[in-house]
Amino acid sequence: MMERDIHAILNGLTLLVGDTKDASQLDATRNYAAIIALCADLRKAAVEYDGTWNINMVIGELENHMAAIAGLLPTWNLPTDQHLTGAHAAISKLAMGTCFGQPV
């Protein structure tokens, strides 16, 4: 996957996470579904890179935070702002230049 494609996916994730801040549960669930689809694309890109396990762990963090916001993980009862912060932190990790073997 090209660097430009990865950046487009990360930008889309950032927008969806931001849009979830004041969303209803239905909208949060829709955003979660879109995030899962984008994360699948990132996982495909991770296969092309030797750091697959670490990348998949960070993608999982993002997915879990967004699932909790959507009410799909009711046992993980952090405040929504903490889940949003965790989701943004995961996106920041994925955006690091070395994450997908991109030039720094």
Side-chain angles (χ1 to χ4, degrees):
M1 185 174 285
M2 297 180 64
E3 180 181 354
R4 160 187 67 178
D5 297 333
I6 292 169
H7 284 290
I9 291 170
L10 294 173
N11 287 337
L13 289 169
T14 301
L15 291 172
L16 285 166
V17 169
D19 185 52
T20 305
K21 183 173 184 172
D22 295 319
S24 68
Q25 185 162 358
L26 179 61
D27 288 336
T29 303
R30 286 182 184 144
N31 288 353
Y32 171 71
I35 286 170
I36 292 300
L38 290 174
C39 286
D41 288 340
L42 283 180
R43 281 195 168 85
K44 288 178 189 173
V47 170
E48 299 171 7
Y49 179 65
D50 288 336
T52 304
W53 187 81
N54 291 331
I55 292 170
N56 280 323
M57 292 296 292
V58 176
I59 292 169
E61 287 177 31
L62 172 62
E63 291 172 336
N64 289 338
H65 282 294
M66 296 310 294
I69 291 171
L72 302 174
L73 294 176
T75 57
W76 196 10
N77 56 1
L78 294 174
T80 300
D81 286 346
Q82 283 185 309
H83 284 301
L84 291 171
T85 300
H88 282 295
I91 293 170
S92 293
K93 290 177 195 174
L94 292 168
M96 296 175 80
T98 57
C99 187
F100 288 95
Q102 303 169 39
V104 180

